[in-house]
Amino acid sequence: MKNCSTCQEKVYPFEKIETNEKWYHRRCFRCSEDGCKLTLTLQNFQCNNGLLYCNKHVPKYCPALPKAFKPSSMFPTLNPHLAQVCPNDIAISF
């Protein structure tokens, strides 16, 4: 048995949601945005810096790229969460 990543209380197997090697109570698997009370599921959650978000409130770090620019394999995504948040954009490091 592990502790909930949100409230730090014990999570029993019948009430757990597990993702990214972390356990949550179903009631604690919610958007981290202040004022948003949306209960998340494994199908609709986003994770950013270890915090849970709904699709509406996930922080957007990707700048708008020109439409003519096509992502290339020579510019890999630096942050694995970036691909989940902005699947069509890439991060470039100089």
Side-chain angles (χ1 to χ4, degrees):
M1 208 169 2
K2 293 184 181 180
N3 289 343
C4 176
S5 292
T6 300
C7 72
Q8 306 306 316
E9 295 178 8
K10 291 199 182 305
V11 178
Y12 295 96
F14 66 88
E15 64 179 344
K16 78 170 179 166
I17 294 181
E18 183 178 359
T19 183
N20 299 329
E21 299 180 15
K22 294 182 180 181
W23 285 24
Y24 300 88
H25 295 107
R26 291 184 192 279
R27 69 179 182 268
C28 295
F29 201 68
R30 295 182 174 270
C31 181
S32 297
E33 181 71 21
D34 288 338
C36 184
K37 302 294 184 193
L38 184 64
T39 300
L40 302 170
T41 67
L42 291 174
Q43 290 75 32
N44 72 356
F45 86 100
Q46 297 284 330
C47 186
N48 186 280
N49 291 327
L51 297 175
L52 302 171
Y53 292 96
C54 65
N55 289 327
K56 179 179 178 181
H57 294 118
V58 66
K60 307 288 189 235
Y61 291 116
C62 301
L65 294 176
K67 290 185 179 184
F69 182 81
K70 299 289 184 198
S72 165
S73 61
M74 60 191 299
F75 298 114
T77 301
L78 301 176
N79 181 343
H81 296 294
L82 189 61
Q84 183 179 8
V85 175
C86 300
N88 296 325
D89 292 345
I90 59 169
I92 302 172
S93 177
F94 295 98

